[in-house]
Amino acid sequence: MRAVDALMECLKAEGVEVVFGLPGGANLPTYDAFYDAGIRHILVRHEAGGGHAAEGYAKATGKVGVALGTSGPGATNLVTPICDAMMDSVPVVFLTGQVRTELLGTDGFQEADTIGITMPIVKHSMMIQHPLELPRAIHEAFHIARTGRPGPVVVDIPTDLSRADIPYEPITDVHLPGYQPTTDGNQKQIRLAAKALANARRPVIYAGGGAVGASAELRELATSDRLPVTCTVMGLGSFPASHPQWLGMLGMHGTRTANYAMDEADLIVAIGARFDDRVTAKLSEFAPHAKFIHIDIDPAEISKNVPAHIPIVGYASNILPRLTTEYRALKPDPARLEEWWHRIESWRARYPLAYSDSDDSEIKPQYMVQALFEATEGNAIVASDVGQHQMWAAQHYHFDRPRQWINSGGLGTMGFGLPAAMGAKVGRPEEMVVCITGDGSFQMNTQELATCAQNGIDVKVFVMNNGYLGMVRQWQELFWDRRYSQVHTGQYPDFVKLAEAYGATGVRLTDKHTLVEGMRQALATDGPVVVDVRVSAEENVYPMIAPGQAARDMVG
Amino acid sequence: MGEPGTKELLSLEELEAAGSFRTGRKHILSILVENKPGALTRITGLFARRGFNIDTLAVGPTDDETISRITLTLDGAVQSIDQVTKQLHKLVNVLKIRDLEPTETMARELALFKISADGGSRAEVMQVCEIFRAKIVDVSKRTLVAEVTGTQEKIDAFERLVRPFGLVEMARTGEIAIARGRAET
């Protein structure tokens, strides 16, 4: 069969239900194979939309996402999603077309060195050199993307090779001698960690994106005792926000309670978190009294930014149950945590997440998120874009389930939200999927509204419209003497008309008194809906750790 | 130093001081990689990203034809070398990495020196070559070419000695290394 037909067989063998892509010259053979392969293909309007959709699909389902683009510009348009998937450890296989082999290196039409361009931002990549390599390469790509620390894998396929006639034998084994992730966690280290935890008087569990796949296990550990839990923006949902042991998100725009707890903790259990600068703030003053247990699948994360006293390398889902067992066996005295909880409760009471609401009909952005929480009864999968709305959503939409919150944390990619919501809805059609975006972010991939409308992908987009690139404006206000340089976007375009032009429904909401009801109606409307919510123009995200400051010096 | 994004003016000195530290300890990394396209680029790219200067780099086959050995020498802070080795381990084509201890390692480099050696100085140049057990592999009327093997330090010393005679040009391979004793590198 043709190599591309073998490719389809491989995708099916990997359990691929859906792919996102856009055809072009160099992947014509692949698209000919899709014609009757029986794999659902969703035609996006820009490769970046397809890439982020595959990410959204992967984040919502835990399965490997697949995105396709042609050679040259098709592949370069995928660069942002590839980098995004790398930063947030999202399993996605990217299949790019390439010019035929005799044109390689000659600056042929639509030729780009895809492997070279993407090399620093992939978990792995492969250029197919011979058609017989293709099936194995595809299975290796899925294996690498899915296992260990997940991430993007690029497979670049020259168009002539994809047309070659090859004998196809299903491949059932993948053997990669240079890729053997440590998954189990060292028992001795686990025992050591249990002992440290049992002796801690001021412990905090700090969970990141790596805890999303071990949410039940995390809960089991935390509730073995009253261990307080905070999550990074990537980890939200891995521990229920409604749980009494929840401290809120930590970091630059986290709660005071979470940040103060980290500041005074004597033991921090980091689970699948990487001590990002948005979490640690001033590194030299980060958690000055704490010892660190660091559980991570990636040994390169251990002691990268903060030296770990007890490193444990492996899957959190393997390690946490054993840590829980060891911890319980030590029968630690729960009374030792009483003083600590007393301290935490006093912060909680003193510093709730607050903002001053308007006394007229003006919609404060924080209230918009609260209204959405109410209108969706806290049940929606929320895909967010990047900026102020993302932080407010993280603060005020209380996530109780893993994979309920989908955002671009590491790379901070504006334009991620809509396509990610689209991918999430495709992967979890039974769920209500909303996208919270800003007027700036939304326009960076609005074209995917056409994809949603054409395919009946039922996402509801809530645009927090303040007419500014809000986060940049906030920084200019606070740290650059209010010199607002190139942040004003005004009320362009008219999002209601734009939605209608794309075949979606457009709604505008401007009054806080009817906001929840308006949102409910939008949610009840069939098909994709864009809700243009006009909010206060110059509201700031607080609390905040100012740049260069320590967590204990939070403002606002 | 101020966080990027704030107004604070940065002096060029501050920027330089914030750059990476060097321990002065030379590291020899021996890396076994699968003989796959792009493997070398992935490795050198990683060093570039982490801000390391590679001093020398040598690539060649091993006893197994599917595997190549990359030997590179560099100068780096201990902490970051650790980080680089961990990052290197994540590359799928990398099979094994060793940060070789200088005292437990045999390291050798090959160099070719083209030295001015007309009538008057020729004998003296040849004497230096003899002391260093350098082989003279080419002679012309005004120059000769000497082949030297040895540690980086020996070759540096040879260079210092022949430079006064007039060093026309020089080519060095960079060190390759192997662990002493029975242990596999």
Side-chain angles (χ1 to χ4, degrees), chain A residues 115 119-120 124-125 129 144 149 176-179 278 298-300 302-304 475 479-481 547-548, chain B residues 3-8 34 36-38 41-42 49-50 79 83 86-87 89-95:
Chain A
I115 295 293
M119 201 169 271
H124 191 52
S125 58
Q129 315 262 324
I144 294 169
R149 179 177 182 171
L176 294 161
Y179 177 74
R278 285 302 187 258
D298 182 359
I302 307 282
S303 301
K304 183 180 81 176
W475 280 59
F479 310 115
W480 296 82
D481 299 336
Chain B
E3 159 126 345
T6 62
K7 255 187 74 160
E8 198 187 324
E34 287 178 300
K36 292 261 171 82
T41 319
R42 277 175 221 276
R49 258 179 76 204
R50 301 275 159 183
Q79 184 71 15
Q83 178 58 213
K86 283 174 170 176
Q87 295 288 349
H89 268 298
K90 286 166 70 171
L91 298 177
V92 172
N93 300 138
V94 171
L95 300 172

Side-chain angles (χ1 to χ4, degrees), chain B:
Chain B
M1 200 172 77
E3 159 126 345
T6 62
K7 255 187 74 160
E8 198 187 324
L9 192 67
L10 290 181
S11 70
L12 291 175
E13 289 75 23
E14 270 180 299
L15 275 177
E16 264 163 39
S20 50
F21 297 94
R22 303 273 176 243
T23 52
R25 155 135 148 56
K26 181 177 117 181
H27 289 265
I28 304 174
L29 296 187
S30 173
I31 307 168
L32 292 179
V33 299
E34 287 178 300
N35 223 336
K36 292 261 171 82
L40 180 63
T41 319
R42 277 175 221 276
I43 290 165
T44 51
L46 228 169
F47 280 93
R49 258 179 76 204
R50 301 275 159 183
F52 278 96
N53 269 328
I54 297 173
D55 290 333
T56 71
L57 175 95
V59 191
T62 61
D63 49 313
D64 179 341
E65 61 175 21
T66 63
I67 295 170
S68 302
R69 184 189 302 280
I70 297 175
T71 311
L72 48 85
T73 63
L74 55 115
D75 183 7
V78 179
Q79 184 71 15
S80 334
I81 275 281
D82 187 45
Q83 178 58 213
V84 166
T85 14
K86 283 174 170 176
Q87 295 288 349
L88 283 172
H89 268 298
K90 286 166 70 171
L91 298 177
V92 172
N93 300 138
V94 171
L95 300 172
K96 196 174 169 189
I97 305 160
R98 275 197 60 182
D99 183 359
L100 294 167
E101 273 297 322
T103 51
E104 287 157 32
T105 304
M106 295 296 302
R108 288 292 180 271
E109 185 175 3
L110 172 81
L112 296 171
F113 289 87
K114 190 178 286 176
I115 309 156
S116 300
D118 44 11
S121 61
R122 176 157 296 182
E124 218 177 322
V125 171
M126 287 173 69
Q127 217 169 14
V128 174
C129 290
E130 204 169 314
I131 295 166
F132 279 83
R133 291 188 199 150
K135 243 196 284 178
I136 291 159
V137 289
D138 183 62
V139 188
S140 74
K141 225 168 170 181
R142 294 204 180 82
T143 62
L144 55 81
V145 175
E147 174 195 313
V148 200
T149 56
T151 60
Q152 219 167 36
E153 292 72 27
K154 175 181 164 184
I155 291 167
D156 290 346
F158 183 77
E159 185 197 331
R160 275 197 303 277
L161 281 176
V162 297
R163 197 173 268 286
F165 298 107
L167 186 55
V168 182
E169 60 182 344
M170 147 182 118
R172 296 173 65 159
T173 57
E175 277 184 316
I176 53 166
I178 212 157
R180 284 180 191 274
R182 281 186 62 188
E184 250 181 68
T185 307

